[in-house]
Amino acid sequence: MRVPPLSGQLFGVSLISLWYASNIGVLLLNKYLLSNYGFKYPIFLTLCHMMACSILSYIAMSWMKVVPLQTVRSKVQFMKITSLGLIFCLSVVGGNISLKYLPVSFNQAIGSTTPFFTAIFAYLMTLKKETWLTYMALVPVITGVMIASGGEPSFHLFGFIMCISATAARALKSVLQGVLLSSDAEKLNSMNLLMYMAPVAVGFLLPASIIMEENVLGITIQLAREDSSIVWLLLFNSVLAYLVNLTNFLVTKHTSELTLQVLGNAKGAVAVVISIMIFKNPVSITGMLGYSLTVIGVILYSEAKKRSKRDI
């Protein structure tokens, strides 16, 4: 086995560090803005994220050549991307709304159930069956969330529903992406897909924010006049939202699938610990045991999936 040069190792460590920082940073900053700061406009916040993703994706690919620019080849492909953009939009909005009501630790516990919803949608839409071992690994995932819900001091039903909906939408988008963009002619890498989905999301979010978050632009301008830090917080938050997608793509490209799974599981646990330290939200032993069981279930699910692919 050839040891990569020091520069390659430093690049890998830096990339993973940036991936962690952007993922955890945007999550914590969303929570701060929506709960602690009092900026109670999750749809507008998501709109800012999507605008940044649209603009920065275009700059990264058209000017900086981070990845090759892929084109939309037909109206049918565009309609498929639009459908994915709507679901992607719903998943991000639902996640941001949930952060108004739930602590980050509980939000992450619910988000860990993504494999459960992915397995369900994969079966319903493609009749794809997993091995019995893979399905068994999902039992502790769901059991853990049920235990964590019962032991969560800050449980909020609406926030819980929004978080579950966001997690299900994220899984549905993943499955649909494989179904709708399955041909070689239609496949797009995640960064090109984001560049095309983000403007679609903006198109859905703009009227939704105007209708559902009355005078949000005027209120934001007034807040900026009183405290200019809100402008910098929104800008920084939006750039972080793009970095989440960019670094996720780069980490996927430069590491193995197994490494990505391990890092992802650890990232959730790190986010929980940091959020508890920063926001001081109350936690119970029951809740932490439930979350731990969920993480163990996700790890078992990943191992079962890896084994089933090896056996094919």
Side-chain angles (χ1 to χ4, degrees):
M1 178 179 176
R2 186 171 63 87
V3 178
L6 182 59
S7 59
Q9 292 178 335
L10 288 174
F11 175 76
V13 171
S14 301
L15 187 58
I16 291 168
S17 299
L18 184 58
W19 182 52
Y20 263 56
S22 58
N23 272 271
I24 297 172
V26 77
L27 184 65
L28 297 179
L29 193 49
N30 283 350
K31 177 64 178 176
Y32 172 75
L33 284 167
L34 294 168
S35 295
N36 298 64
Y37 189 89
F39 188 79
K40 300 178 180 180
Y41 306 103
I43 299 177
F44 183 77
L45 183 63
T46 309
L47 174 62
C48 293
H49 291 177
M50 293 300 102
M51 288 176 66
C53 287
S54 180
I55 295 168
L56 294 176
S57 292
Y58 181 78
I59 291 172
M61 281 178 280
S62 296
W63 296 357
M64 299 173 67
K65 310 295 182 183
V66 173
V67 291
L69 181 65
Q70 296 173 285
T71 57
V72 176
R73 301 187 179 185
S74 65
K75 290 183 179 178
V76 174
Q77 187 185 17
F78 175 75
M79 291 307 297
K80 292 176 180 179
I81 293 171
T82 301
S83 301
L84 290 171
L86 175 58
I87 296 169
F88 176 61
C89 173
L90 292 174
S91 71
V92 179
V93 169
N96 285 340
I97 291 175
S98 73
L99 285 171
K100 283 180 64 177
Y101 305 99
L102 301 178
V104 173
S105 53
F106 190 42
N107 177 281
Q108 288 293 284
I110 298 170
S112 298
T113 61
T114 301
F116 170 76
F117 290 104
T118 302
I120 290 176
F121 288 129
Y123 177 74
L124 291 176
M125 301 179 69
T126 67
L127 298 179
K128 179 184 177 183
K129 294 183 179 180
E130 304 288 353
T131 63
W132 68 270
L133 193 62
T134 304
Y135 286 122
M136 286 298 293
L138 291 172
V139 174
V141 173
I142 299 303
T143 305
V145 169
M146 292 173 65
I147 293 172
S149 300
E152 175 54 51
S154 306
F155 181 84
H156 190 285
L157 181 59
F158 180 69
F160 177 77
I161 292 172
M162 285 294 99
C163 198
I164 284 286
S165 301
T167 304
R170 191 160 53 245
L172 177 60
K173 182 250 176 188
S174 176
V175 174
L176 271 178
Q177 184 175 331
V179 173
L180 297 180
L181 303 177
S182 56
S183 70
D184 290 335
E186 291 185 329
K187 280 183 180 177
L188 297 171
N189 64 48
S190 61
M191 292 312 300
N192 275 275
L193 184 59
L194 176 66
M195 186 183 71
Y196 292 118
M197 285 194 307
V200 171
V202 170
F204 288 121
L205 289 167
L206 185 58
S209 181
I210 291 171
I211 295 169
M212 299 174 68
E213 298 175 330
E214 189 176 353
N215 196 30
V216 61
L217 189 58
I219 292 170
T220 304
I221 292 171
Q222 183 60 38
L223 282 172
R225 286 173 178 168
E226 296 172 1
D227 181 10
S228 61
S229 64
I230 184 64
V231 176
W232 299 109
L233 285 171
L234 287 174
L235 282 173
F236 182 57
N237 186 246
S238 300
V239 172
L240 276 181
Y242 172 70
L243 284 177
V244 168
N245 292 281
L246 177 61
T247 54
N248 188 73
F249 172 79
L250 293 174
V251 170
T252 305
K253 183 178 179 181
H254 291 282
T255 65
S256 66
E257 184 179 350
L258 176 60
T259 302
L260 190 68
Q261 290 172 350
V262 173
L263 290 171
N265 294 332
K267 176 172 59 66
V270 172
V272 168
V273 173
I274 294 177
S275 70
I276 292 172
M277 291 172 62
I278 292 176
F279 297 112
K280 311 293 183 185
N281 56 281
V283 291
S284 65
I285 294 175
T286 303
M288 292 308 295
L289 285 174
Y291 179 67
S292 300
L293 183 59
T294 297
V295 172
I296 291 170
V298 171
I299 294 171
L300 292 174
Y301 174 83
S302 300
E303 288 297 315
K305 286 279 288 183
K306 187 176 68 171
R307 182 177 296 182
S308 66
K309 287 180 180 179
R310 248 195 337 252
D311 294 340
I312 294 175

